[in-house]
Amino acid sequence: QVQLVESGGGLVQPGGSLRLSCAASGSIFSIKDMGWYRQAPGKEREWVATITNSGTTNYAPSVKGRFTISRDNAENMVYLQMNSLKPEDTAVYYCHAVISPTPYRNAMIYWGKGTLVTVSS
């Protein structure tokens, strides 16, 4: 069974920084894309950033230039460095990954349970 566990959320002042981490564990044969979504109160979940297993990154326009996604393939980790945070970045941040549990199963999308980021003075 595959699990994704996020950490690093918390309360930060506008203009501050946070680094989110996500660890994938369990039965993992290979990991393709990894990334982050977020869901603000009363809003739908939205895509934030994605990184491929070769390191290609993509960002939502709202975070480009402020957030940086990275991964450690050896440790099955993905990170989100968030700088210049704004109150509108307040949301629950969810890690996701496209994982093949075994060589014989198609890749599936897995989700973490989320970590709350609050940007407020």
Side-chain angles (χ1 to χ4, degrees), residues 89-102:
D89 295 317
T90 295
V92 177
Y93 283 71
Y94 297 91
C95 170
H96 75 94
V98 181
I99 297 174
S100 293
T102 74

Side-chain angles (χ1 to χ4, degrees), residues 13-94:
Q13 292 186 342
S17 298
L18 276 178
R19 188 190 194 215
L20 305 183
S21 300
C22 174
S25 63
S27 177
I28 297 173
F29 171 69
S30 66
I31 303 178
K32 298 181 178 179
D33 293 357
M34 302 184 81
W36 297 88
Y37 279 68
R38 67 185 181 185
Q39 187 166 17
K43 296 187 176 181
E44 294 187 352
R45 190 175 297 191
E46 65 172 356
W47 168 69
V48 174
T50 301
I51 183 167
T52 68
N53 56 6
S54 60
T56 300
T57 59
N58 283 288
Y59 298 92
S62 59
V63 307
K64 196 170 185 178
R66 299 187 298 121
F67 291 10
T68 302
I69 188 170
S70 60
R71 67 190 280 175
D72 183 333
N73 291 333
E75 298 294 332
N76 293 336
M77 298 283 296
V78 63
Y79 306 95
L80 187 68
Q81 177 67 43
M82 306 185 294
N83 299 328
S84 302
L85 282 161
K86 305 174 182 180
E88 51 263 42
D89 295 317
T90 295
V92 177
Y93 283 71
Y94 297 91

